[in-house]
Coordinates of all heavy atoms in Angstrom, one line a residue:
M254 N 0.8 -1.2 0.0 CA 0.0 0.0 0.0 C 0.9 1.2 0.0 O 1.7 1.4 0.9 CB -0.9 0.0 1.2 CG -1.8 1.1 1.3 SD -2.9 0.8 2.8 CE -3.7 2.4 2.9
S255 N 0.7 2.1 -1.0 CA 1.5 3.3 -1.1 C 0.8 4.5 -0.5 O -0.4 4.6 -0.6 CB 1.8 3.5 -2.6 OG 2.3 4.8 -2.8
H256 N 1.5 5.4 0.1 CA 0.9 6.6 0.6 C 1.9 7.7 0.5 O 3.1 7.5 0.5 CB 0.4 6.4 2.0 CG 1.5 6.1 3.0 ND1 2.2 7.1 3.6 CD2 2.0 5.0 3.5 CE1 3.1 6.6 4.5 NE2 3.0 5.3 4.4
T257 N 1.4 8.9 0.5 CA 2.3 10.1 0.5 C 2.3 10.6 1.9 O 1.3 10.9 2.5 CB 1.7 11.2 -0.4 OG1 1.6 10.6 -1.7 CG2 2.6 12.4 -0.4
S258 N 3.5 10.8 2.5 CA 3.6 11.3 3.9 C 3.6 12.8 3.9 O 4.1 13.4 2.9 CB 4.8 10.7 4.6 OG 6.0 11.2 3.9
L259 N 3.0 13.4 4.9 CA 3.0 14.8 5.0 C 4.3 15.3 5.6 O 5.0 14.5 6.3 CB 1.8 15.2 5.9 CG 0.4 14.8 5.5 CD1 -0.6 15.2 6.6 CD2 0.1 15.5 4.2
S260 N 4.6 16.5 5.3 CA 5.8 17.1 5.9 C 5.8 16.9 7.4 O 4.7 17.2 8.0 CB 6.0 18.5 5.6 OG 6.0 18.7 4.2
P261 N 6.9 16.6 8.1 CA 6.8 16.3 9.5 C 6.3 17.5 10.3 O 5.5 17.3 11.3 CB 8.3 16.1 9.9 CG 8.9 15.7 8.6 CD 8.2 16.3 7.5
S262 N 6.6 18.7 10.0 CA 6.2 19.8 10.8 C 5.0 20.6 10.2 O 4.6 21.6 10.6 CB 7.3 20.8 10.9 OG 7.7 21.3 9.7
A263 N 4.4 19.9 9.2 CA 3.3 20.6 8.5 C 2.0 20.6 9.3 O 1.7 19.7 10.0 CB 3.0 19.9 7.2
F264 N 1.4 21.8 9.3 CA 0.0 21.9 9.8 C -0.9 22.1 8.6 O -0.6 22.9 7.8 CB -0.1 23.1 10.7 CG 0.8 23.0 12.0 CD1 2.0 23.6 12.1 CD2 0.3 22.3 13.0 CE1 2.8 23.5 13.2 CE2 1.1 22.2 14.2 CZ 2.3 22.8 14.3
L265 N -1.8 21.2 8.5 CA -2.7 21.3 7.3 C -3.5 22.6 7.3 O -4.0 23.0 8.4 CB -3.6 20.1 7.3 CG -2.9 18.7 7.2 CD1 -3.9 17.6 7.2 CD2 -2.0 18.7 5.9
K266 N -3.7 23.1 6.1 CA -4.3 24.4 6.0 C -5.6 24.3 5.2 O -5.8 23.4 4.5 CB -3.4 25.4 5.2 CG -2.0 25.6 5.9 CD -2.1 26.2 7.2 CE -0.7 26.4 7.8 NZ -0.7 27.0 9.1
N267 N -6.5 25.3 5.4 CA -7.8 25.3 4.7 C -7.8 26.1 3.4 O -6.8 26.7 3.0 CB -8.9 25.7 5.6 CG -8.7 27.2 6.1 OD1 -8.0 27.9 5.5 ND2 -9.4 27.5 7.2
Y268 N -8.9 26.1 2.7 CA -9.1 26.8 1.5 C -8.7 28.3 1.6 O -8.1 28.9 0.8 CB -10.5 26.7 0.9 CG -10.8 25.4 0.2 CD1 -11.6 24.4 0.9 CD2 -10.4 25.2 -1.1 CE1 -11.9 23.2 0.2 CE2 -10.7 24.0 -1.7 CZ -11.4 23.0 -1.1 OH -11.7 21.9 -1.7
E269 N -9.2 28.9 2.7 CA -9.0 30.3 2.9 C -7.5 30.7 3.0 O -7.1 31.7 2.5 CB -9.8 30.8 4.1 CG -11.3 30.8 3.9 CD -12.0 29.4 3.9 OE1 -11.4 28.5 4.4 OE2 -13.1 29.3 3.4
W270 N -6.8 29.9 3.8 CA -5.4 30.1 3.9 C -4.7 30.0 2.5 O -3.9 30.9 2.2 CB -4.8 29.0 4.8 CG -3.3 29.1 4.9 CD1 -2.5 29.9 5.7 CD2 -2.3 28.4 4.1 NE1 -1.2 29.7 5.5 CE2 -1.0 28.8 4.5 CE3 -2.4 27.5 3.0 CZ2 0.1 28.3 3.9 CZ3 -1.3 27.0 2.4 CH2 0.0 27.4 2.9
L271 N -5.1 29.0 1.8 CA -4.4 28.8 0.5 C -4.8 29.9 -0.5 O -4.0 30.4 -1.3 CB -4.8 27.4 -0.1 CG -4.1 27.0 -1.4 CD1 -2.6 27.1 -1.2 CD2 -4.5 25.6 -1.8
A272 N -6.0 30.4 -0.5 CA -6.5 31.5 -1.3 C -5.7 32.7 -1.0 O -5.2 33.4 -1.9 CB -8.0 31.7 -1.2
A273 N -5.5 33.0 0.3 CA -4.7 34.2 0.7 C -3.2 34.0 0.3 O -2.6 35.0 -0.1 CB -4.8 34.4 2.2
R274 N -2.7 32.8 0.4 CA -1.3 32.6 0.1 C -1.0 32.7 -1.4 O 0.1 33.1 -1.8 CB -1.0 31.2 0.6 CG 0.4 30.6 0.3 CD 1.5 31.2 1.2 NE 2.7 30.5 0.9 CZ 3.6 30.8 0.0 NH1 3.3 31.8 -0.9 NH2 4.7 30.2 -0.1
T275 N -1.9 32.2 -2.2 CA -1.7 32.1 -3.6 C -2.4 33.2 -4.5 O -2.0 33.4 -5.6 CB -2.1 30.8 -4.2 OG1 -3.5 30.6 -4.0 CG2 -1.3 29.6 -3.5
G276 N -3.4 33.8 -3.9 CA -4.2 34.7 -4.7 C -5.2 34.0 -5.7 O -5.8 34.6 -6.5
I277 N -5.4 32.7 -5.5 CA -6.3 31.9 -6.3 C -7.6 31.9 -5.5 O -7.7 31.6 -4.3 CB -5.8 30.5 -6.5 CG1 -4.5 30.5 -7.2 CG2 -6.8 29.7 -7.3 CD1 -3.8 29.1 -7.3
K278 N -8.7 32.2 -6.2 CA -10.0 32.3 -5.5 C -10.4 30.9 -5.0 O -10.1 29.9 -5.6 CB -11.1 32.8 -6.5 CG -10.9 34.2 -6.9 CD -12.0 34.7 -7.8 CE -11.7 36.1 -8.2 NZ -12.8 36.6 -9.1
V279 N -11.2 30.9 -3.9 CA -11.6 29.7 -3.2 C -12.4 28.8 -4.2 O -12.2 27.6 -4.3 CB -12.4 29.9 -2.0 CG1 -13.1 28.7 -1.4 CG2 -11.5 30.6 -0.9
G280 N -13.2 29.4 -5.0 CA -14.0 28.6 -6.0 C -13.1 27.9 -7.0 O -13.4 26.7 -7.4
T281 N -12.0 28.6 -7.4 CA -11.1 28.0 -8.4 C -10.3 26.8 -7.7 O -10.1 25.8 -8.3 CB -10.1 29.0 -8.9 OG1 -10.8 30.0 -9.5 CG2 -9.1 28.4 -9.8
L282 N -10.0 27.0 -6.4 CA -9.3 26.0 -5.7 C -10.2 24.8 -5.5 O -9.7 23.6 -5.7 CB -8.9 26.5 -4.3 CG -7.8 27.5 -4.3 CD1 -7.6 28.1 -2.9 CD2 -6.4 27.0 -4.8
R283 N -11.5 25.0 -5.2 CA -12.4 23.9 -5.1 C -12.5 23.1 -6.4 O -12.5 21.9 -6.4 CB -13.8 24.4 -4.7 CG -13.8 24.8 -3.3 CD -15.2 25.2 -2.8 NE -15.2 25.9 -1.6 CZ -15.2 25.3 -0.4 NH1 -15.1 24.0 -0.3 NH2 -15.2 26.0 0.7
A284 N -12.5 23.8 -7.6 CA -12.5 23.2 -8.9 C -11.3 22.4 -9.1 O -11.3 21.2 -9.6 CB -12.7 24.2 -10.0
L285 N -10.1 22.9 -8.7 CA -8.8 22.2 -8.9 C -8.8 20.9 -8.0 O -8.3 19.9 -8.5 CB -7.7 23.1 -8.5 CG -7.4 24.2 -9.4 CD1 -6.3 25.2 -8.8 CD2 -6.9 23.7 -10.8
V286 N -9.4 21.0 -6.8 CA -9.5 19.8 -6.0 C -10.4 18.8 -6.6 O -10.1 17.6 -6.7 CB -10.0 20.2 -4.6 CG1 -10.4 18.9 -3.8 CG2 -8.9 20.9 -3.8
C287 N -11.5 19.2 -7.1 CA -12.5 18.3 -7.7 C -11.9 17.6 -8.9 O -12.1 16.4 -9.1 CB -13.7 19.1 -8.1 SG -15.1 18.1 -8.7
R288 N -11.1 18.3 -9.7 CA -10.4 17.7 -10.8 C -9.1 17.0 -10.5 O -8.4 16.5 -11.4 CB -10.2 18.7 -11.9 CG -11.6 19.3 -12.4 CD -11.4 20.1 -13.7 NE -10.2 21.0 -13.8 CZ -10.2 22.3 -13.5 NH1 -11.3 22.9 -13.2 NH2 -9.1 22.9 -13.6
K289 N -8.7 17.0 -9.2 CA -7.5 16.4 -8.7 C -6.3 17.0 -9.4 O -5.3 16.3 -9.7 CB -7.5 14.9 -8.9 CG -8.6 14.3 -8.0 CD -8.7 12.8 -8.2 CE -9.9 12.3 -7.3 NZ -10.1 10.9 -7.5
K290 N -6.3 18.3 -9.5 CA -5.2 19.1 -10.2 C -4.3 19.7 -9.2 O -3.3 20.4 -9.6 CB -5.7 20.1 -11.1 CG -6.6 19.6 -12.3 CD -5.7 18.8 -13.2 CE -6.5 18.4 -14.4 NZ -5.7 17.7 -15.4
I291 N -4.6 19.7 -7.9 CA -3.8 20.3 -6.8 C -3.7 19.3 -5.7 O -4.6 18.6 -5.4 CB -4.5 21.6 -6.4 CG1 -3.5 22.4 -5.5 CG2 -5.8 21.4 -5.7 CD1 -4.0 23.8 -5.2
P292 N -2.5 19.2 -5.1 CA -2.3 18.3 -4.0 C -3.2 18.7 -2.8 O -3.2 19.8 -2.4 CB -0.8 18.3 -3.6 CG -0.3 19.6 -4.2 CD -1.2 20.0 -5.4
H293 N -3.9 17.7 -2.2 CA -4.8 18.0 -1.1 C -4.9 16.7 -0.3 O -4.6 15.6 -0.7 CB -6.1 18.5 -1.6 CG -6.9 17.6 -2.4 ND1 -6.6 17.4 -3.8 CD2 -7.9 16.7 -2.1 CE1 -7.5 16.5 -4.2 NE2 -8.3 16.0 -3.3
V294 N -5.5 16.9 0.9 CA -5.8 15.8 1.8 C -7.3 15.9 2.1 O -7.8 16.9 2.6 CB -5.0 16.0 3.2 CG1 -5.4 14.8 4.1 CG2 -3.5 16.0 2.9
R295 N -8.0 14.8 1.8 CA -9.4 14.7 2.0 C -9.6 14.1 3.4 O -9.4 12.9 3.6 CB -10.1 14.0 0.9 CG -11.6 14.1 1.1 CD -12.4 13.6 -0.1 NE -12.2 14.5 -1.3 CZ -12.8 15.6 -1.5 NH1 -13.7 16.1 -0.6 NH2 -12.6 16.3 -2.6
I296 N -10.0 14.9 4.4 CA -10.2 14.4 5.8 C -11.5 13.7 5.9 O -11.6 12.6 6.4 CB -10.2 15.6 6.7 CG1 -8.9 16.5 6.6 CG2 -10.4 15.1 8.2 CD1 -7.6 15.7 6.9
T297 N -12.6 14.3 5.3 CA -13.9 13.6 5.2 C -14.4 13.9 3.8 O -13.7 14.6 3.0 CB -14.9 14.2 6.3 OG1 -15.2 15.5 6.0 CG2 -14.3 14.1 7.7
E298 N -15.6 13.5 3.6 CA -16.2 13.7 2.2 C -16.2 15.2 1.9 O -16.0 15.6 0.8 CB -17.6 13.2 2.2 CG -18.3 13.3 0.8 CD -19.6 12.6 0.8 OE1 -19.8 11.7 1.5 OE2 -20.5 13.2 0.0
R299 N -16.4 16.1 2.9 CA -16.6 17.5 2.7 C -15.4 18.3 3.2 O -15.4 19.6 3.0 CB -17.9 18.0 3.3 CG -19.1 17.4 2.7 CD -20.3 17.9 3.3 NE -20.4 19.3 3.1 CZ -21.5 20.0 2.8 NH1 -22.6 19.4 2.7 NH2 -21.4 21.3 2.7
T300 N -14.5 17.7 3.9 CA -13.4 18.5 4.5 C -12.1 18.2 3.8 O -11.6 17.1 3.7 CB -13.2 18.1 6.0 OG1 -14.4 18.3 6.7 CG2 -12.1 18.9 6.6
V301 N -11.5 19.3 3.2 CA -10.2 19.2 2.5 C -9.2 20.1 3.1 O -9.6 21.2 3.5 CB -10.5 19.6 1.0 CG1 -9.1 19.7 0.2 CG2 -11.4 18.6 0.3
R302 N -8.0 19.6 3.2 CA -6.9 20.5 3.8 C -5.7 20.4 2.9 O -5.6 19.5 2.0 CB -6.6 20.0 5.2 CG -7.7 20.2 6.2 CD -7.9 21.7 6.5 NE -8.9 21.9 7.5 CZ -10.2 22.1 7.3 NH1 -10.6 22.2 6.0 NH2 -11.0 22.3 8.3
F303 N -4.8 21.3 3.1 CA -3.6 21.4 2.2 C -2.3 21.3 3.0 O -2.2 22.0 4.1 CB -3.7 22.7 1.4 CG -4.9 22.8 0.5 CD1 -6.0 23.4 1.0 CD2 -4.9 22.2 -0.7 CE1 -7.2 23.5 0.3 CE2 -6.1 22.3 -1.5 CZ -7.2 22.9 -1.0
D304 N -1.3 20.6 2.6 CA 0.0 20.5 3.2 C 0.8 21.7 2.5 O 1.0 21.6 1.3 CB 0.6 19.2 2.9 CG 2.0 19.0 3.4 OD1 2.6 20.0 4.0 OD2 2.6 18.0 3.2
P305 N 1.2 22.6 3.3 CA 2.0 23.8 2.8 C 3.2 23.3 2.0 O 3.5 23.9 0.9 CB 2.4 24.6 4.0 CG 1.3 24.3 5.0 CD 1.0 22.8 4.8
A306 N 3.9 22.3 2.4 CA 5.1 21.9 1.6 C 4.7 21.3 0.3 O 5.4 21.6 -0.7 CB 5.9 20.8 2.5
A307 N 3.6 20.6 0.2 CA 3.2 20.0 -1.1 C 2.7 21.1 -2.0 O 3.0 21.1 -3.2 CB 2.0 19.0 -0.8
I308 N 2.1 22.1 -1.4 CA 1.6 23.3 -2.2 C 2.8 24.0 -2.8 O 2.9 24.4 -4.0 CB 0.7 24.2 -1.4 CG1 -0.6 23.5 -1.1 CG2 0.5 25.5 -2.2 CD1 -1.4 23.0 -2.3
E309 N 3.9 24.2 -2.0 CA 5.1 24.9 -2.5 C 5.7 24.1 -3.6 O 6.1 24.7 -4.6 CB 6.1 25.0 -1.3 CG 5.8 26.1 -0.3 CD 5.8 27.5 -0.9 OE1 6.6 27.8 -1.8 OE2 4.9 28.2 -0.5
R310 N 5.8 22.8 -3.5 CA 6.3 22.0 -4.6 C 5.4 22.1 -5.9 O 5.9 22.2 -7.0 CB 6.5 20.5 -4.2 CG 7.5 20.3 -3.2 CD 7.8 18.8 -2.9 NE 6.6 18.1 -2.4 CZ 6.3 18.0 -1.2 NH1 7.0 18.5 -0.2 NH2 5.2 17.3 -0.8
W311 N 4.1 22.1 -5.7 CA 3.2 22.2 -6.8 C 3.4 23.6 -7.5 O 3.4 23.6 -8.7 CB 1.8 22.1 -6.2 CG 0.7 22.2 -7.2 CD1 0.3 21.2 -8.1 CD2 -0.2 23.3 -7.4 NE1 -0.8 21.7 -8.9 CE2 -1.1 23.0 -8.5 CE3 -0.3 24.6 -6.8 CZ2 -2.1 23.8 -8.9 CZ3 -1.3 25.4 -7.3 CH2 -2.2 25.0 -8.3
L312 N 3.5 24.7 -6.7 CA 3.7 26.0 -7.3 C 5.1 26.1 -8.0 O 5.1 26.6 -9.1 CB 3.7 27.1 -6.2 CG 2.3 27.3 -5.6 CD1 2.4 28.2 -4.4 CD2 1.4 27.9 -6.7
E313 N 6.1 25.5 -7.4 CA 7.4 25.6 -8.0 C 7.4 24.8 -9.4 O 8.1 25.2 -10.3 CB 8.5 25.0 -7.1 CG 8.8 25.9 -6.0 CD 9.7 25.3 -4.9 OE1 10.2 24.1 -5.1 OE2 9.9 25.9 -3.9
A314 N 6.7 23.8 -9.5 CA 6.6 23.0 -10.7 C 5.9 23.8 -11.8 O 6.0 23.4 -13.0 CB 5.9 21.7 -10.5
R315 N 5.2 24.8 -11.5 CA 4.5 25.6 -12.5 C 5.2 26.9 -12.9 O 4.6 27.7 -13.6 CB 3.1 25.9 -11.9 CG 2.2 24.7 -12.2 CD 1.1 24.5 -11.1 NE 0.5 23.3 -11.4 CZ 1.0 22.1 -11.2 NH1 2.1 21.9 -10.6 NH2 0.3 21.0 -11.5
I316 N 6.4 27.1 -12.4 CA 7.1 28.3 -12.8 C 7.5 28.2 -14.2 O 8.1 27.2 -14.7 CB 8.4 28.5 -11.9 CG1 8.0 28.8 -10.4 CG2 9.3 29.6 -12.4 CD1 9.1 28.8 -9.4
V317 N 7.2 29.3 -15.0 CA 7.6 29.3 -16.4 C 8.7 30.4 -16.5 O 8.6 31.5 -16.2 CB 6.4 29.8 -17.2 CG1 6.8 29.9 -18.7 CG2 5.3 28.8 -17.1
A318 N 9.9 29.9 -17.1 CA 11.0 30.8 -17.3 C 10.7 31.7 -18.4 O 10.0 31.4 -19.4 CB 12.3 30.0 -17.5
D319 N 11.3 32.9 -18.4 CA 11.2 33.8 -19.5 C 11.6 33.1 -20.8 O 12.6 32.4 -20.9 CB 12.0 35.1 -19.3 CG 11.5 35.9 -18.2 OD1 10.3 35.8 -17.9 OD2 12.3 36.7 -17.6
G320 N 10.9 33.4 -21.9 CA 11.2 32.9 -23.2 C 10.7 31.5 -23.5 O 10.9 30.9 -24.5
E321 N 10.0 30.9 -22.5 CA 9.4 29.6 -22.8 C 8.0 29.7 -23.3 O 7.3 30.5 -23.1 CB 9.4 28.7 -21.5 CG 10.7 28.3 -21.1 CD 10.7 27.3 -19.9 OE1 9.7 26.6 -19.8 OE2 11.7 27.3 -19.2

């Protein structure tokens, strides 16, 4: 059984924290979660949280260098 471990010191964050951190609207974040396009932890059917370290890696993977 494979699993992704959370960062040891990570405190899971909610949609509002992530929206404030990234400037992405909560509705857009919910759509990304629904389409499984952003790393998240589903605590219950309706409760989703985010690992800050995983979000940092996700954002870094989306950096586009000038001229690309």
Side-chain angles (χ1 to χ4, degrees):
M254 179 175 172
S255 169
H256 65 83
T257 302
S258 62
L259 299 176
S260 300
S262 62
F264 294 99
L265 298 179
K266 305 297 184 179
N267 62 19
Y268 281 104
E269 290 73 19
W270 174 87
L271 187 54
R274 171 81 172 84
T275 63
I277 301 171
K278 293 181 181 181
V279 170
T281 301
L282 292 171
R283 290 184 190 281
L285 290 170
V286 165
C287 186
R288 295 192 324 258
K289 298 180 181 176
K290 299 289 186 180
I291 190 169
H293 63 281
V294 178
R295 186 166 294 280
I296 305 297
T297 68
E298 185 177 327
R299 297 181 59 142
T300 303
V301 172
R302 295 292 183 263
F303 302 93
D304 175 1
I308 294 300
E309 285 298 321
R310 290 189 301 272
W311 180 77
L312 289 169
E313 287 173 5
R315 279 148 185 77
I316 295 173
V317 178
D319 289 340
E321 286 187 28

